[in-house]
Structures are given as C-alpha cells and as structure tokens.
C-alpha cells in the first residue's frame, strides 16, 4: 500500500499521481470489503509526514539564529521522563544541521525543537502550509491534515514528536 505524487518543484503543479493497491472497476464489491482498502486514495489522504517535517524545523532554527547548533546523538534522548529514540539506536555522533538533515537524525531534531520552543516551529509550519487543504485541480483538494495547536507545544513530549513529523 502506498502512493506516489510527482510535482514540479518550481510551481508545485501535480504532474502524476498514483495510489496502490488498485481496484477492479468491474468488481467493486470485493474492493469495498478488502483488507487493504483499495478504494482509499492514499495520494490525497492525510498522514503523519514523518521526516519530511525536519526541514521545517531546520528552517525555523536558521531563522531564529540557531543554524550553527550542534548536538551529540547517542541514539536516544530523555525528555520529560520519557526516552525518545533515534532510528540509529547506537547514535550518529556529533551532528550539525547539515549532517542531521543528511542522516535524518531524530535526536538532533528533538534537541533543536527544545532549544527553539514551539512557537517558531508552529509559525514556520503554518507558512509552509502544513495542516492546510491544498487545491490540486478544479474541485480536487488534498485532505486538510493537521498540526498541533500552539498551546499543545508547551508540552516537551508533544514538541519533540512534532520535530520529527509525528504526534497530534
């Protein structure tokens, strides 16, 4: 199951879009009850964006003068009595903004978000249309999606989840 969307980088125009699995137009009854939901258009559905959100946090850091931030990734970080893990459980070592983006280092972005606070990330995400409904064509829109309310980001757990495109 999945989707692919091909867009022009300059204009954002959608050039191709596909959702899988496919369904049989001659046998919709089977598709209605299929376990893999073939009638769900995954290309237009809202979902947690995951690491795609990290450049949003990076842009916030640069805008707030934290573009030279460094952090030693050991594979996990304890925040608010909870352990948040990096996908590299043994850690990435010393990370800066460029290396953290290249390695998709979760711990760097957790730390970056704590240093920034929720408001700059929320504002950048809003400017970049995260949580917005996007018009694709006449009478065709993406699902609206959501970003957490600003007051929710006063909670460090919610803030670090957002920093890697997860959570509410």
């Amino acid at each position: 199951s999945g989707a692919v969307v091909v867009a022009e980088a300059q204009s954002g125009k959608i050039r191709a879009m596909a959702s899988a699995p496919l369904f049989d137009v001659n046998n919709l009854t089977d598709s209605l009850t299929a376990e893999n939901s073939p009638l769900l258009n995954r290309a237009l559905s809202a979902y947690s964006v995951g690491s795609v959100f990290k450049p949003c946090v990076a842009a916030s850091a640069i805008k707030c003068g934290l573009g030279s931030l460094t952090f030693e990734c050991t594979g996990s970080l304890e925040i608010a009595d909870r352990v948040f893990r990096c996908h590299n459980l043994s850690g990435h070592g010393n990370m800066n903004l460029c290396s953290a983006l290249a390695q998709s280092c979760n711990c760097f972005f957790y730390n970056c978000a704590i240093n920034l606070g929720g408001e700059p990330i929320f504002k950048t995400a809003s400017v970049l249309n995260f949580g917005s409904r996007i018009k694709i064509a006449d009478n065709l829109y993406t699902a609206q999606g959501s970003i957490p309310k600003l007051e929710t980001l006063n909670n460090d757990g919610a803030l670090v989840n957002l920093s890697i495109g997860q959570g509410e």
Side-chain angles (χ1 to χ4, degrees), residues 138-159:
D138 289 340
N139 299 316
L140 183 61
Y141 294 85
T142 63
Q144 183 168 345
S146 65
I147 55 174
K149 292 180 176 52
L150 182 56
E151 55 271 11
T152 302
L153 299 178
N154 290 329
N155 174 295
D156 286 346
L159 178 59

Side-chain angles (χ1 to χ4, degrees), residues 19-23 30-42:
S19 179
L22 298 176
F23 60 90
D30 285 350
S31 296
L32 288 171
T33 57
E35 190 175 304
N36 57 7
S37 305
L39 293 177
L40 174 65
N41 187 332
R42 288 168 173 82

Side-chain angles (χ1 to χ4, degrees), residues 8-31:
E8 287 182 3
Q10 295 292 340
S11 68
K13 289 181 181 177
I14 304 297
R15 293 301 182 194
M17 183 170 15
S19 179
L22 298 176
F23 60 90
D24 182 354
V25 295
N26 297 313
N27 189 2
L28 291 178
T29 303
D30 285 350
S31 296

Side-chain angles (χ1 to χ4, degrees), residues 53 56-57 60 113 116-126 159 162-163:
F53 194 76
C56 177
V57 178
S60 297
L116 280 168
E119 189 170 351
I121 298 170
F122 179 85
K123 285 181 177 178
T124 302
S126 297
L159 178 59
L162 176 64
S163 75

Side-chain angles (χ1 to χ4, degrees), residues 47-128:
Y47 59 95
S48 292
V49 294
S51 293
V52 171
F53 194 76
K54 290 174 182 173
C56 177
V57 178
S60 297
I62 292 167
K63 185 174 182 179
C64 291
L66 294 177
S68 61
L69 183 70
T70 61
F71 181 75
E72 182 75 24
C73 173
T74 61
S76 65
L77 189 62
E78 187 172 329
I79 300 167
D81 297 328
R82 183 172 162 210
V83 176
F84 290 84
R85 302 202 184 282
C86 195
H87 65 88
N88 182 345
L89 298 178
S90 61
H92 287 100
N94 194 36
M95 294 273 103
N96 61 33
L97 190 60
C98 290
S99 61
L101 282 168
Q103 298 296 316
S104 194
C105 178
N106 291 349
C107 288
F108 178 89
F109 285 98
Y110 299 149
N111 184 60
C112 187
I114 293 296
N115 277 279
L116 280 168
E119 189 170 351
I121 298 170
F122 179 85
K123 285 181 177 178
T124 302
S126 297
V127 166
L128 294 174

